[in-house]
Amino acid sequence: MHVPDGFIDAPVSAVTGVVAAGAVAVSLRGARRELDERTAPLAGLVAAFIFAVQMLNFPVAAGTSGHLLGGALAAILVGPYTGVLCVSVVLLMQGVLFADGGLTALGVNITDMALVTTVVAYAIFRTIVKLAPHRRRTVTVASFVAALVSVPAAAVAFTAIYALGGTADVAIGKVFAAMVGVHVLIGIGEAAITALTVGAVVAVRPDLVYGARGVTAPPLEIRDSPLAPAAPGAVARAGAPAAEPSTATSESPVTSEAPASETSATRETSATRETSATREPAATREAAAAPQRSTRRVWFAGLAAALLCAGVVSFYASASPDGLEKVAHDKGIDAKEEDHAAKDSPLADYGVRDISDARLSGGLAGVIGVGATLAVGSGVFIVVRRRRATAESGRS
């Protein structure tokens, strides 16, 4: 659904550019709360994986194909704010390096493919997770539904943008019907890819899935003392020592000779801790209580999957035009389409210039794209994380 230059007029393109810039700015601030030392590098990997899977166009109808948009997948894996940034990085790399999606239409594409899909998908996902039983299967089912709805939602958003600033004289009703119709079918593919990916990560490392926090693990109780008895059914903090059985009996009571003032102060401190623990969000307490396991295996597995998709599997992707291209050609939306400013890029159209072998050219371009997206995305998210750490150290 990459909108090229010339589909939308300059004023509306400028407005969507402002909207996109605002969304990115807000997401940069919001991502500070979502990212930690483990997830910041993984967020860059999510962006690279989305880039790779977007190269895998799948057939959806006669002469039409579709590809992953990625907003739902990113939001569920790394959080909605970070998700907006992930898809925005992908769109930027595609527009600059591969001439995919107009540069003047970058604001349109970020608004439509990054902002709308992420917001809609995560809102639906959280609603389902909140109402359904807290099980791992719920996360997968919610991912499927959220991704399914997010794609036609993006089609509706494009239709609205085109109604405001479309450059061709086309009936909006026809655009709406054609765009929503084909993107409902594309949404099924998006939902399948998203659910399979989220389900696979949840099965191996549920602690790394942002949307699964508080869903895939039982509630936790924060204990002030390892000797404090646990309430019935309570779960101890991971890694905390088990409570020692008391040696005191009814015949040998334990007495304290501490001054009354000290006892009062101790009780006050304990109460303060209780209040603080109660106010702390459950997801934060769960993350803090979870053992710190290495993410290297997940990172390398994800990178290998992205390289395989972009470097090998992409050669077998459908060559049919995607949903927007097909509708634009059939309805005349592309009457005033302009040449891409980066049409002479060495990687334009996902091929390496001067390499005649199509398989090698496309595979190498895909691998370069994955590497570039991973580098830029990881750099952005690591900087965001460090700024949060700097702010926290300044407050302390």
Side-chain angles (χ1 to χ4, degrees):
M1 197 188 288
H2 296 75
V3 180
D5 295 321
F7 275 28
I8 308 299
D9 62 24
V12 174
S13 294
V15 171
T16 56
V18 172
V19 172
V24 169
V26 171
S27 297
L28 284 170
R29 293 182 62 86
R32 296 182 191 178
R33 300 191 297 271
E34 296 173 346
L35 297 171
D36 55 32
E37 291 83 354
R38 296 183 304 158
T39 57
L42 291 176
L45 179 62
V46 169
F49 182 78
I50 290 173
F51 172 89
V53 179
Q54 282 195 3
M55 295 181 66
L56 309 182
N57 281 48
F58 48 85
V60 294
T64 310
S65 69
H67 62 74
L68 181 80
L69 298 185
L73 178 62
I76 295 166
L77 288 179
V78 292
Y81 293 107
T82 310
V84 170
L85 298 177
C86 282
V87 182
S88 298
V89 168
V90 172
L91 293 171
L92 178 63
M93 302 307 294
Q94 289 170 334
V96 172
L97 296 180
F98 299 92
D100 189 10
L103 296 182
T104 62
L106 184 60
V108 175
N109 286 320
I110 290 177
T111 300
D112 193 24
M113 295 177 63
L115 180 60
V116 172
T117 58
T118 301
V119 170
V120 171
Y122 198 71
I124 293 173
F125 176 84
R126 292 309 308 174
T127 300
I128 295 174
V129 165
K130 183 177 181 180
L131 298 178
H134 282 193
R135 300 172 182 170
R136 291 187 178 182
R137 183 179 301 176
T138 298
V139 176
T140 304
V141 172
S143 301
F144 185 94
V145 177
L148 176 64
V149 177
S150 70
V151 177
V156 172
F158 169 79
T159 305
I161 293 172
Y162 194 83
L164 295 174
T167 56
D169 187 13
V170 181
I172 296 303
K174 293 182 179 180
V175 175
F176 176 85
M179 284 293 293
V180 174
V182 71
H183 283 91
V184 167
L185 299 177
I186 295 174
I188 297 174
E190 175 105 9
I193 295 171
T194 301
L196 287 173
T197 305
V198 171
V201 180
V202 166
V204 178
R205 290 292 301 272
D207 58 304
L208 297 180
V209 179
Y210 184 88
R213 295 178 182 177
V215 178
T216 58
L220 299 166
E221 175 183 305
I222 305 299
R223 298 182 188 171
D224 292 329
S225 169
L227 300 181
V235 179
R237 177 190 295 233
E244 296 283 348
S246 175
T247 56
T249 64
S250 56
E251 296 179 357
S252 56
V254 178
T255 59
S256 173
E257 298 180 0
S261 58
E262 182 179 339
T263 303
S264 175
T266 304
R267 289 176 180 172
E268 184 178 350
T269 303
S270 177
T272 303
R273 289 177 183 170
E274 253 182 51
T275 304
S276 176
T278 304
R279 291 178 179 175
E280 188 177 8
T284 304
R285 284 186 277 123
E286 179 182 335
Q292 296 296 313
R293 298 167 58 190
S294 173
T295 61
R296 288 185 179 181
R297 290 185 179 181
V298 175
W299 194 91
F300 282 114
L303 179 59
L307 292 173
L308 179 64
C309 289
V312 180
V313 183
S314 61
F315 180 77
Y316 303 97
S318 173
S320 299
D322 68 15
L324 176 58
E325 290 177 302
K326 180 66 173 175
V327 171
H329 178 74
D330 291 346
K331 303 301 179 183
I333 294 176
D334 59 356
K336 296 185 179 181
E337 181 179 353
E338 301 173 0
D339 289 338
H340 199 286
K343 66 177 182 177
D344 296 325
S345 165
L347 299 172
D349 297 325
Y350 297 92
V352 179
R353 184 190 298 172
D354 299 330
I355 296 182
S356 56
D357 185 281
R359 186 191 299 266
L360 179 60
S361 177
L364 185 56
V367 169
I368 293 173
V370 167
T373 306
L374 178 63
V376 173
S378 298
V380 169
F381 298 125
I382 290 173
V383 168
V384 170
R385 170 57 192 165
R386 286 179 178 175
R387 291 188 63 182
R388 170 186 171 179
T390 301
E392 288 176 348
S393 62
R395 287 196 297 268
S396 61

